[in-house]
Amino acid sequence: MPDNIEQFLVSSNLLLNAVGEGIYGFDINGNAVFINPAAEQMTGWKAKELLGKNIHEYHHHSHENGDPYPSHECHIYNTMRDGIERKITNEVFWRKDGSSFPVEYTSTPVYKQDELIGAVAIFRDVSQQRLADNNLRAALKKVQDLTEKLQDENSYLQDEINKTWNGSGLEGNNLAYRQMLQQIKLVAKTDSTVLVLGENGTGKEVVARNLHQLSQRCSSPLVKVNCAVISANLLESELFGHERGAFTGANERRKGRFELADKGTLFLDEIGELSLEAQSKLLRVLQERELERVGGSKTIKVDIRIIVATNRDLFAMVEQGLFRMDLYYRLNVFPIYIPALRQRIEDIPLLCHGILKQLNNKLNKNIQGINKRSLAKLASYHWPGNIRELQNILEREVILSTSELLNIQQTFSKSHQVTNTSQKPLADIEKAYIIEILNNCHWRVGGDNGAAKILGMPDSTLRSRMKKLNISRR
């Protein structure tokens, strides 16, 4: 055994110079006694510049963040003091030019006759390995984000598919309706915000879907939010998402509707039902196109096209202080008004044909048409529920029909005839019709046999309309 570590290392010179790892040999005082060519190449320091010196001050003086790294904390020098071997994977060495590189190193004690005489440090540059690891982590994160996005979109789309919607599409020969279709074609190709106006049941969601399908965003999702059925305390979570643990019951991270609609279209239905507080929060996101999840601090940017719909007079609400003026002007970029069914009675035969075709598939029927007397009866009705009410009436008749030619058996109240209601305000007509349906349902609002189901609207919307129209059971 050589007398000291320097003699030991020199005797192994050929072997140590041939390896690819950097090797430093230290005496018991911490001075460098051996430096191989690989170490010179990695650090830029020549052996003659460091031999006999405390090289911690040259290549190991600071942490990666620039904080000082005193020699008494250095793992290599501690090995010389306590004789314990150490393997380190999260430090850097500094080059002569002032740059640093990540290293993994092992410091091993050297003994002679049970006496500690120095240490050997073997290190290697792991820059490429770290770069590959970071790239792999970034790729895995991207795959994870895409997987979550696809799962969220799939979950949302499955919810949409599972919803029953007996839409008749955009069909009509009425002049005003054809003008509306032309407006849809013109604005669909842009990213402009569209405000869809119309009474309940006129097909505002159908218009929104067609705007999306005709747009350049058609390959991305159309995400719907019914503002009338989201409670104020859950609005932020529904629209902006939440982090795990953000509130009681938030057991996992969830993306909001804005994130789900990224690169696609967000359809805000019944926008007039939002509270002023909710309007303020919505306005900020619409202006900045960025949001933060509930319980989170990360700012998330979204690229979305906005379509909103309402059956209310938003400008009148602005004047009453019920709707923010700045939000109104941000939404009212390109308004599209859908004519009510009573304004295009001539389209009823065409609409019936499309609805009956859908009902045949849904109910496994073979209805070939509708007789003239029934068409005349439908044409004389004022249709407060518009196309949705027409769908419901035809569905009930198809279920009861045993013939291939549909004969409308239902009797419409005389108070609902067009000739007798032309001088009445729309609110009075709507109130009378809702009361009639409620009477027929024994004032049951919800459930399969409730008035809301017949009227084709959520229970909460019907209760809201009843409150607004001052409808109560005597």
Side-chain angles (χ1 to χ4, degrees):
M1 184 72 172
D3 291 339
N4 55 45
I5 186 171
E6 183 176 2
Q7 292 176 346
F8 167 73
L9 292 170
V10 169
S11 66
S12 306
N13 188 55
L14 290 177
L15 176 63
L16 299 179
N17 285 340
V19 299
E21 286 85 0
I23 300 176
Y24 286 135
F26 303 91
D27 62 21
I28 195 63
N29 296 316
N31 297 319
V33 296
F34 179 83
I35 299 174
N36 75 337
E40 290 181 317
Q41 184 177 2
M42 279 186 269
T43 65
W45 293 101
K46 297 298 182 181
K48 63 183 180 181
E49 297 176 286
L50 300 181
L51 288 174
K53 298 178 180 179
N54 184 323
I55 62 175
H56 178 85
E57 303 302 327
Y58 292 85
H59 76 88
H60 211 190
H61 51 76
S62 303
H63 292 285
E64 183 176 9
N65 63 2
D67 290 344
Y69 194 167
S71 59
H72 67 269
E73 295 179 2
C74 176
H75 295 289
I76 299 172
Y77 282 75
N78 282 332
T79 294
M80 299 175 215
R81 299 184 183 99
D82 57 24
I84 299 174
E85 183 179 75
R86 291 171 170 83
K87 184 174 182 180
I88 308 302
T89 61
N90 59 350
E91 291 187 356
V92 297
F93 281 178
W94 294 85
R95 300 185 183 94
K96 186 177 181 179
D97 62 8
S99 61
S100 66
F101 60 96
V103 293
E104 290 181 355
Y105 67 85
T106 302
S107 60
T108 306
V110 177
Y111 288 91
K112 178 186 176 183
Q113 297 177 354
D114 297 330
E115 180 184 353
L116 182 63
I117 61 173
V120 173
I122 301 175
F123 65 93
R124 61 191 181 96
D125 184 346
V126 292
S127 300
Q128 294 301 317
Q129 178 183 328
R130 293 284 175 84
L131 179 61
D133 289 345
N134 290 337
N135 289 340
L136 178 59
R137 277 193 289 269
L140 290 174
K141 180 66 167 57
K142 186 175 182 180
V143 170
Q144 182 181 1
D145 290 343
L146 289 173
T147 300
E148 289 181 1
K149 181 176 175 65
L150 288 173
Q151 288 174 342
D152 291 336
E153 289 179 1
N154 180 65
S155 175
Y156 176 79
L157 291 174
Q158 287 297 324
D159 289 343
E160 285 293 288
I161 290 171
N162 292 333
K163 291 179 183 177
T164 302
W165 179 73
N166 298 319
S168 61
L170 297 178
E171 300 174 304
N173 294 318
N174 174 267
L175 177 60
Y177 200 79
R178 283 190 282 115
Q179 290 174 342
M180 181 203 73
L181 296 179
Q182 183 62 26
Q183 288 180 320
I184 291 173
K185 291 179 181 179
L186 291 174
V187 76
K189 300 298 183 182
T190 74
D191 274 345
S192 297
T193 300
V194 178
L195 173 60
V196 184
L197 303 167
E199 298 177 8
N200 281 329
T202 51
K204 295 186 288 295
E205 183 175 343
V206 187
V207 170
R209 291 183 184 278
N210 277 270
L211 283 166
H212 176 71
Q213 288 301 321
L214 293 173
S215 74
Q216 297 177 350
R217 298 172 178 263
C218 58
S219 58
S220 297
L222 167 68
V223 177
K224 176 189 174 184
V225 179
N226 190 335
C227 301
V229 299
I230 301 178
S231 60
N233 58 329
L234 291 179
L235 179 73
E236 281 190 275
S237 174
E238 282 292 324
L239 294 183
F240 313 139
H242 61 253
E243 298 290 348
R244 182 177 180 181
F247 50 83
T248 304
N251 299 322
E252 60 183 14
R253 186 180 71 174
R254 180 182 178 186
K255 292 183 178 180
R257 302 299 176 90
F258 272 86
E259 277 189 85
L260 290 175
D262 189 36
K263 302 296 188 296
T265 304
L266 181 66
F267 174 44
L268 300 173
D269 197 9
E270 304 293 352
I271 191 72
E273 303 297 328
L274 286 180
S275 66
L276 287 171
E277 180 184 2
Q279 293 171 31
S280 178
K281 295 174 181 178
L282 175 62
L283 176 64
R284 184 180 63 82
V285 179
L286 295 182
Q287 288 173 332
E288 306 297 335
R289 288 297 198 270
E290 60 184 31
L291 56 93
E292 291 180 4
R293 297 193 190 112
V294 177
S297 57
K298 179 183 177 182
T299 299
I300 301 169
K301 291 188 176 295
V302 289
D303 173 18
I304 53 176
R305 197 260 182 95
I306 302 293
I307 300 175
V308 297
T310 183
N311 63 343
R312 305 182 68 175
D313 185 342
L314 293 186
F315 190 75
M317 293 180 65
V318 170
E319 293 180 325
Q320 297 166 12
L322 301 176
F323 202 85
R324 291 179 62 108
M325 179 177 291
D326 45 6
L327 178 59
Y328 170 75
Y329 285 113
R330 182 160 291 275
L331 297 178
N332 191 33
V333 176
F334 192 94
I336 291 179
Y337 176 74
I338 308 177
L341 183 54
R342 64 181 171 278
Q343 295 172 322
R344 56 188 191 107
I345 293 295
E346 67 270 30
D347 287 336
I348 285 182
L350 179 62
L351 293 171
C352 287
H353 175 78
I355 295 172
L356 289 176
K357 185 177 180 180
Q358 292 178 356
L359 291 175
N360 282 334
N361 293 330
K362 176 184 177 180
L363 303 175
N364 196 26
K365 292 277 190 169
N366 187 32
I367 305 298
Q368 297 299 312
I370 183 169
N371 62 36
K372 291 183 178 180
R373 186 187 66 82
S374 296
L375 284 175
K377 181 185 290 187
L378 295 176
S380 67
Y381 186 49
H382 79 288
W383 298 107
N386 292 290
I387 296 176
R388 186 182 295 130
E389 186 182 9
L390 176 61
Q391 292 168 344
N392 293 340
I393 287 175
L394 291 179
E395 182 168 351
R396 290 196 293 271
E397 293 291 343
V398 169
I399 292 172
L400 297 172
S401 177
T402 58
S403 171
E404 292 186 354
L405 188 64
L406 195 66
N407 180 32
I408 302 296
Q409 299 293 331
Q410 296 179 57
T411 301
F412 301 123
S413 171
K414 290 183 178 180
S415 63
H416 292 159
Q417 303 277 327
V418 174
T419 55
N420 291 330
T421 60
S422 57
Q423 303 300 320
K424 288 187 177 182
L426 179 59
D428 291 348
I429 298 172
E430 182 181 7
K431 180 176 181 179
Y433 181 67
I434 291 176
I435 290 174
E436 179 184 343
I437 297 300
L438 286 168
N439 283 328
N440 293 339
C441 298
H442 304 289
W443 285 81
R444 177 179 295 175
V445 174
D448 292 339
N449 298 319
K453 179 77 172 178
I454 295 174
L455 291 169
M457 63 177 67
D459 299 356
S460 58
T461 302
L462 177 56
R463 296 184 199 278
S464 175
R465 299 304 298 164
M466 291 171 63
K467 183 177 181 180
K468 182 177 180 181
L469 295 172
N470 195 25
I471 298 175
S472 60
R473 188 174 186 177
R474 295 182 180 179

